[in-house]
Amino acid sequence: MIRTMTKLFVLPLLLFATLSSWAQSHNTSVENKQRIPIKPIVVEGEVTGVPDGTPVDICFRVRKTNLFRNPELKFLADNPSTKATMVDTIRNGKFHLEKKFVYKDFEDNEDNVEYYLVVNGNSLNIYATPGTNIKVTGQGQNCHDWHAESNNPLQKEYNEYATYISNKLIPINKKIQEAYDEDDVDDELIEKLQKEKRSIHVSSMIDFMKNKDFNTVFAEELRRISLMTNKLHDQQLSDRIRNLFTEKVPADYLDDSNINEAKGFLIPSSEHLHIGDKMKDFTLYDRENKEHKLSEYVGKKIVILQFSTKACGPCHAIRPTIENFYAKHKDEVEIITISCDDEKTWKTEQKVNWCDWNDHASGSTIRGKFDMLGYPYYVIIRPDGVISSTFPGNKELLDYFKTF
């Protein structure tokens, strides 16, 4: 009996000691993990033609989402001590930027190699990982025309793209400048030349990309030329870009936001939906992955579609107003927010009291049917299923709410 009681007493002590040892070891491991030094991304700039005091900052793109994190928003809210290293102002043509990392920041965003140097609303692509040093040079206030140099292979790749298309556009840019230099500026001629420039850009870049391997830079450029083609309404160019998809884009990259946006831009204009058209049906999913059809509500009551992303500030700012409106009018109006983020990002957003759906393709299956280039974007559908209005931004939505 004594021996049995001793065992009963000793075993819990051994178990406690084992757990304590594991916890101490685990905590030590975590502490050591957090103390692993991570070199910052450093951007040194030297430019001309930009007024002193012009702010310069860095945004970064989270792969497979539409989320662009501006340092003055989410990142700085979590890490206020990094504010001085993320934003600078130009002084005597120079600026210095650093993106410092804590371990958790790097671990959560380890695939973020796409950064954007932002000046006066324009941006310059920068490709970097911790420890990358970048030298930025240029002239004029449009930083898109500046040049970033580093030993990062993706930056070198991006510069190859930029140099190639810059050389291809020299003749048409000369024509455009000559048209602007005329005493009597012909606006119609300039518009025609600008359209020709976009066509040359897309056609030349397609030829160039046929001989390039697929990577982040390729995906970004594919989105850019797809957007240009959308504005050109050129079916032949659209078909050539679709061939690039087939030949170059790996299956495991099809849910990347750049790829999904490109696919949306390439939907033929003949398939676009406009005011006065009958709304088509689409398959979407809620957060529990339950399948839904728009026809659950379209054709039965007024339906308001809101296209939204997590990075869209106005999308979130309007939600309390939508909530109040929906509480009063949900018997006659259904609101459906369609997330244009990937599933993982969408499910981290705050839930709403109305329909909150996603199509497992960053919204590309439905948003490409509308001539939309920004968020939020709204589609109002009458009870008979006919589209009565479409518009970007919140102002018209607020005006529409006043009609009730």
Side-chain angles (χ1 to χ4, degrees):
M1 175 68 74
I2 292 174
R3 184 176 298 174
T4 302
M5 290 181 65
T6 301
K7 286 183 178 180
L8 291 173
F9 179 72
V10 170
L11 284 174
L13 284 177
L14 289 172
L15 178 60
F16 177 77
T18 301
L19 289 173
S20 297
S21 175
W22 174 87
Q24 184 175 1
S25 172
H26 177 71
N27 289 336
T28 301
S29 173
V30 170
E31 287 174 5
N32 289 337
K33 186 178 182 181
Q34 291 173 340
R35 282 197 291 265
I36 294 174
I38 300 176
K39 294 181 179 180
I41 293 171
V42 179
V43 182
E44 296 282 358
E46 189 167 349
V47 296
T48 60
V50 187
D52 280 0
T54 300
V56 184
D57 63 18
I58 292 179
C59 304
F60 65 84
R61 174 177 177 265
V62 181
R63 184 179 180 268
K64 295 190 176 181
T65 79
N66 286 317
L67 179 59
F68 290 83
R69 286 198 178 126
N70 188 291
E72 294 177 293
L73 302 177
K74 178 74 171 79
F75 186 84
L76 284 182
D78 294 341
N79 304 277
S81 63
T82 65
K83 183 171 183 178
T85 66
M86 295 292 293
V87 183
D88 197 11
T89 54
I90 294 177
R91 296 180 296 278
N92 298 319
K94 296 182 179 181
F95 60 88
H96 174 93
L97 289 161
E98 290 188 21
K99 183 182 187 331
K100 294 184 177 179
F101 296 88
V102 293
Y103 190 88
K104 184 177 184 300
D105 177 48
F106 178 61
E107 184 180 57
D108 288 351
N109 306 293
E110 59 189 348
D111 56 2
N112 300 330
V113 296
E114 296 175 61
Y115 292 81
Y116 297 84
L117 184 76
V118 181
V119 183
N120 293 328
N122 297 310
S123 64
L124 172 69
N125 290 59
I126 289 176
Y127 296 87
T129 52
T132 303
N133 293 298
I134 302 122
K135 179 68 176 179
V136 174
T137 55
Q139 56 184 359
Q141 298 192 46
N142 187 350
C143 68
H144 182 73
D145 299 326
W146 296 355
H147 180 77
E149 194 73 43
S150 76
N151 61 357
N152 187 288
L154 287 176
Q155 189 69 58
K156 293 179 179 180
E157 181 95 348
Y158 173 79
N159 291 343
E160 284 182 26
Y161 278 72
T163 300
Y164 169 82
I165 200 61
S166 177
N167 290 333
K168 283 289 183 180
L169 296 177
I170 287 174
I172 187 66
N173 281 334
K174 184 179 179 182
K175 288 184 181 179
I176 292 171
Q177 188 59 51
E178 289 172 350
Y180 273 115
D181 289 341
E182 292 288 334
D183 292 334
D184 186 14
V185 176
D186 187 337
D187 291 335
E188 288 187 8
L189 173 61
I190 290 174
E191 184 177 347
K192 179 182 177 181
L193 290 172
Q194 293 286 8
K195 184 176 181 181
E196 183 182 347
K197 177 180 176 178
R198 287 195 293 271
S199 182
I200 293 170
H201 184 133
V202 174
S203 182
S204 300
M205 192 55 77
I206 291 171
D207 291 337
F208 179 74
M209 293 168 71
K210 284 180 179 178
N211 300 314
K212 302 298 287 184
D213 293 331
F214 182 86
N215 57 20
T216 297
V217 180
F218 189 106
E220 174 81 9
E221 190 60 37
L222 195 60
R223 184 198 65 81
R224 186 177 290 112
I225 62 174
S226 297
L227 172 58
M228 287 185 182
T229 304
N230 178 277
K231 292 180 178 180
L232 288 167
H233 302 294
D234 189 317
Q235 191 58 49
Q236 184 178 7
L237 287 178
S238 295
D239 290 341
R240 291 181 65 193
I241 296 175
R242 287 192 190 93
N243 289 336
L244 274 183
F245 269 94
T246 303
E247 296 168 8
K248 296 289 188 177
V249 180
D252 63 350
Y253 216 95
L254 290 175
D255 62 344
D256 176 81
S257 65
N258 276 327
I259 299 304
N260 273 321
E261 284 194 42
K263 286 190 293 187
F265 292 140
L266 292 174
I267 291 177
S269 56
S270 59
E271 297 181 17
H272 284 196
L273 295 168
H274 304 93
I275 294 172
D277 290 341
K278 271 275 190 182
M279 184 63 194
K280 294 184 179 180
D281 205 5
F282 291 89
T283 300
L284 298 143
Y285 302 86
D286 61 27
R287 295 195 184 204
E288 284 68 49
N289 207 37
K290 181 181 177 182
E291 184 176 298
H292 294 273
K293 300 278 190 181
L294 285 185
S295 54
E296 291 178 27
Y297 302 105
V298 171
K300 300 171 184 176
K301 58 164 76 171
I302 296 170
V303 174
I304 301 174
L305 302 182
Q306 181 201 45
F307 293 86
S308 171
T309 72
K310 186 174 182 177
C312 169
C315 299
H316 298 284
I318 194 67
R319 288 190 173 180
T321 303
I322 293 178
E323 186 171 355
N324 291 335
F325 173 84
Y326 186 64
K328 296 176 183 177
H329 302 285
K330 60 184 176 182
D331 289 338
E332 53 186 320
V333 179
E334 190 57 50
I335 298 173
I336 302 173
T337 291
I338 298 175
S339 171
C340 296
D341 287 318
D342 71 292
E343 243 185 297
K344 182 179 178 181
T345 302
W346 164 51
K347 289 182 178 179
T348 64
E349 290 195 59
Q350 186 175 355
K351 291 184 179 180
V352 296
N353 295 327
W354 53 91
C355 297
D356 180 15
W357 296 345
N358 184 287
D359 65 351
H360 295 342
S362 300
S364 63
T365 59
I366 180 171
R367 70 177 175 188
K369 298 288 186 180
F370 297 94
D371 297 323
M372 55 181 292
L373 298 175
Y375 306 100
Y377 189 85
Y378 297 95
V379 177
I380 311 294
I381 307 166
R382 298 192 316 232
D384 62 358
V386 173
I387 298 169
S388 62
S389 58
T390 62
F391 48 86
N394 292 326
K395 184 180 182 302
E396 287 191 52
L397 182 70
L398 294 173
D399 291 340
Y400 178 72
F401 282 173
K402 292 175 185 177
T403 64
F404 282 81

